Amino acid sequence: MTGSPPESTPAAGRVLAIVGPTATGKSDLAVALAEKLGGEIVNADAMQLYRGMNIGTAKLTVAQRHGIPHHQLDVLDVTAEASVAAYQQASRGDIAAILARGGVPILVGGSGLYVRAALDHLDIPPTDPAVRARWEERLTSEGVEALYAVLGQRDPVAAARIEPRNGRRIVRALEVIELTGAPFSATLPTRQTVRPTTVIGLTLDRPALDARINARSAAMFAHGLLDEVTFLLTQGLADGRTARTAIGYAQAIACLRGDLTEAQAVADTATLTRKFARRQQSWFGPDPRISWVPADAPDLLDRAMAIWRAAHQGE
């Protein structure tokens, strides 16, 4: 995208992060910035951790990466369960290594907790498979509403910050409360970065974002998502606790099994992705550290570079 040499980075140790809702073009901007700054990219999209999950996660192809090193892509089998704790250790190791090489680490993704795990002071609470299994059994037998009510009684602050239908997060909160005897909300991340960090957020008005999501959902199925999922099923996708629930993949599995038509799968994927984008906006929106830029700005790269330069001047 540019043949000019990378700009110098006088603020040693500074990290750049690109965040925001899905379908706003974070990955493309990150590559453009990496070319300008001599950077390397660290993925913060939980589903892009999985090998073979390419079309449905909008993962950049090797050609689209323009030779920029990418980290935390394709590091898990689809049968594995993604772990915020493991990701925190690995992503921070990548960031430190990039800085040691004299590069600019560019964290990019829309998985809010993973972004915070990489950037912010965040202690990952303990886990116990037996305790979690017990709460998961209650989730199955009693339903998500019942468990959300339990969480509301035990930790109303955490309940207010967790989406009421997110059974997995509710189970995790109740597991932590049982194991630690302390509120789950006490373990939630603070807005304090472990390194100097510039965070740029991409935003679009709702109609424009919805249009992009609808078009992307249709394009994924048109460009081979069902074939991708057919192959991943041979790799154990149906047994993966996390990967098989990803938006688009769950709908593709249902389509292949005859439970949905392709048109229904596309529509369901778009609907769920729009809801997911709203949750991402709710997660990132209140963070005062984020400098927001319209994703469709014609001078997007110039605006992002100006934010980066201003961060240096302020140090």
Side-chain angles (χ1 to χ4, degrees):
M1 289 201 270
T2 176
S4 58
E7 294 194 10
S8 62
T9 55
R14 177 164 286 273
V15 178
L16 177 59
I18 312 296
V19 303
T22 189
T24 49
K26 297 183 295 294
S27 297
D28 289 334
L29 177 60
V31 168
L33 286 166
E35 291 187 313
K36 283 278 191 182
L37 297 171
E40 301 181 30
I41 292 170
V42 180
N43 166 57
D45 180 319
M47 292 304 123
Q48 290 194 9
L49 296 170
Y50 288 100
R51 277 184 285 273
M53 291 178 64
N54 303 325
I55 296 172
T57 65
K59 190 182 295 177
L60 293 184
T61 65
V62 172
Q64 290 170 330
R65 298 173 200 171
H66 289 224
I68 301 298
H70 279 62
H71 308 274
Q72 298 307 305
L73 288 180
D74 304 320
V75 295
L76 294 178
D77 292 330
V78 292
T79 54
E81 184 172 3
S83 161
V84 176
Y87 173 79
Q88 181 181 64
Q89 181 178 6
S91 62
R92 290 186 180 184
D94 289 330
I95 288 170
I98 294 166
L99 289 169
R101 291 191 287 271
V104 176
I106 303 177
L107 187 82
V108 56
S111 297
L113 189 57
Y114 283 71
V115 171
R116 301 287 289 275
L119 298 179
D120 290 349
H121 289 280
L122 172 63
D123 294 325
I124 307 298
T127 185
D128 185 307
V131 173
R132 182 181 299 189
R134 191 183 327 118
W135 283 110
E136 287 175 339
E137 288 173 6
R138 289 190 60 178
L139 177 66
T140 300
S141 62
E142 300 176 30
V144 68
E145 295 88 354
L147 254 63
Y148 187 71
V150 173
L151 179 61
Q153 294 171 351
R154 298 190 180 186
D155 189 349
V157 175
R161 295 176 63 178
I162 294 176
E163 204 278 321
R165 301 293 304 174
N166 192 335
R168 187 176 176 196
R169 287 283 290 158
I170 294 167
V171 164
R172 176 59 174 152
L174 291 167
E175 175 194 13
V176 170
I177 293 168
E178 180 173 339
L179 288 173
T180 65
F184 179 68
S185 52
T187 71
L188 295 174
T190 63
R191 288 182 177 146
Q192 295 179 316
T193 57
V194 295
R195 297 179 183 273
T197 303
T198 298
V199 187
I200 297 172
L202 297 187
T203 184
L204 278 175
D205 62 55
R206 183 167 292 188
L209 182 58
D210 287 352
R212 284 196 185 189
I213 289 171
N214 294 342
R216 175 185 280 189
S217 299
M220 286 175 175
F221 281 84
H223 296 155
L225 180 59
L226 291 177
D227 289 337
E228 179 173 285
V229 172
T230 297
F231 170 74
L232 290 175
L233 287 170
T234 69
Q235 305 302 301
L237 177 63
D239 300 320
R241 288 166 52 88
T242 304
R244 65 181 170 84
T245 67
I247 298 173
Y249 289 87
Q251 289 67 44
I253 291 171
C255 182
L256 290 170
R257 290 176 173 171
D259 298 328
L260 294 175
T261 66
E262 184 169 336
Q264 289 171 329
V266 171
D268 286 358
T269 297
T271 296
L272 291 170
T273 304
R274 291 194 301 270
K275 291 180 179 179
F276 177 57
R278 308 286 187 266
R279 294 198 297 272
Q280 290 174 303
Q281 290 170 322
S282 296
W283 176 281
F284 291 113
D287 194 331
R289 301 171 300 173
I290 300 175
S291 298
W292 291 97
V293 183
D296 54 358
D299 58 346
L300 176 60
L301 179 57
D302 290 339
R303 292 197 193 191
M305 285 296 299
I307 292 168
W308 173 253
R309 294 188 191 105
H312 292 330
Q313 293 170 0
E315 291 182 339

